[in-house]
Amino acid sequence: MTIDHPRNSATATSGAADRPRTAGSFTPRITLAQRRALLAGARDPIGLLPKSVNLRTLASLADIGYVGLDQSRDVLRGQEATRDALDVWGGALTEDGWQRAHAEGAGRFRIVVVGCGKAKQDRRVTAGAMYVGTFHGSCRETAKALLQDGGRQYILSAAHGLLDLSTQIDPYDITVGDPGSVSADFVQAQVRERGIESAEVTVLAGSKYVALARHSWPDLEAPLAGAGGIGEMKQRLSQIRLAARAEAGQER
């Protein structure tokens, strides 16, 4: 499946149209370092390559049209990915870069969304530390197991919507569907702002939270759907963790 990543298309970068393309019979050969860089970029929701990728590799990938400047930033939009610009701003996958990364084995960027919980701290802390219930903790551990090969975990809060684990929040007493809780449109706007519309998403939460998230990600996975209660949900979570860890061990 080819994923559209409009924030950094090859045609949006000046000069990219004159570079070799992957379409047709010609596919540039790449080194192991270049392949690793492409796969690393594909783990980011908008294709940003990590700072650990050296300038020589960035420049060589730009020469064959796989890397450009981050087109989600107004200051860089339309600029050519010169060596000097890459040195200052870093690189991001172009549309050709995304396609080549997928051809080299990269999957879609993976996200696991965990629902918030009723049991909370009584003071302002990070979202990652706010929820202290055992079910929420089990979901978080399962998310960690599912993301062993990369990706990002978010918390879906009835009061705040999609939360990074590091975001500071105050305690609240509201659940999805209550007056004043976030709407599906609000969450969708957050998803678009983060550029993660095309991610592969798993939601570990109850049905109300799944429905809230499905408005943004219609094809999300909801492995707890249809469970008879918290006990069955926890049993499923345990099975998912065991399977994910076993799979990761076999791949190593």
Side-chain angles (χ1 to χ4, degrees):
M1 179 178 179
T2 300
I3 307 301
D4 185 24
H5 298 275
R7 282 179 166 77
N8 198 43
S9 66
T11 55
T13 303
S14 177
D18 297 328
R19 296 179 181 137
R21 311 280 293 188
T22 58
S25 60
F26 177 70
T27 301
R29 297 183 64 179
I30 58 175
T31 66
L32 180 59
Q34 289 172 325
R35 180 177 184 273
R36 287 173 175 167
L38 291 175
L39 294 178
R43 295 189 189 103
D44 184 86
I46 59 174
L48 298 178
L49 276 70
K51 294 180 179 179
S52 58
V53 178
N54 64 47
L55 181 58
R56 180 179 179 181
T57 300
L58 280 178
S60 65
L61 287 170
D63 285 342
I64 55 178
Y66 290 156
V67 165
L69 300 179
D70 177 12
Q71 297 299 296
S72 68
R73 304 184 63 172
D74 291 340
V75 69
L76 300 178
R77 194 164 297 139
Q79 289 193 32
E80 186 176 356
T82 64
R83 187 182 182 91
D84 288 343
L86 290 167
D87 191 24
V88 173
W89 299 103
L93 296 180
T94 63
E95 184 61 30
D96 283 351
W98 279 106
Q99 292 179 11
R100 183 59 184 267
H102 292 313
E104 295 293 332
R108 296 162 68 188
F109 180 74
R110 191 164 197 189
I111 289 172
V112 179
V113 177
V114 174
C116 65
K118 185 175 182 180
K120 302 177 182 68
Q121 301 271 18
D122 60 359
R123 63 189 186 281
R124 184 177 179 84
V125 293
T126 65
M130 175 59 73
Y131 310 98
V132 296
T134 57
F135 175 67
H136 178 84
S138 183
C139 289
R140 291 280 301 281
E141 282 299 309
T142 305
K144 184 178 178 181
L146 289 172
L147 295 173
Q148 290 177 94
D149 292 329
R152 191 164 297 172
Q153 182 180 158
Y154 290 102
I155 293 173
L156 184 55
S157 160
H160 303 285
L162 208 59
L163 285 171
D164 297 285
L165 302 187
S166 60
T167 301
Q168 294 274 338
I169 59 172
D170 293 309
Y172 58 90
D173 186 15
I174 194 172
T175 190
V176 171
D178 287 350
S181 63
V182 296
S183 67
D185 287 341
F186 180 87
V187 174
Q188 187 174 54
Q190 292 178 312
V191 168
R192 289 174 175 169
E193 182 181 0
R194 287 168 168 81
I196 52 177
E197 303 98 315
S198 297
E200 177 185 339
V201 179
T202 298
V203 177
L204 302 177
S207 58
K208 291 183 179 180
Y209 289 83
V210 171
L212 184 64
R214 197 178 293 280
H215 185 71
S216 299
W217 297 294
D219 61 345
L220 63 79
E221 294 183 7
L224 302 184
I230 294 295
E232 186 178 345
M233 286 185 179
K234 286 184 176 180
Q235 186 176 28
R236 289 191 191 182
L237 290 169
S238 178
Q239 293 170 347
I240 293 168
R241 287 196 299 273
L242 289 173
R245 290 165 181 166
E247 182 179 353
Q250 290 173 0
E251 290 178 352
R252 291 186 181 92

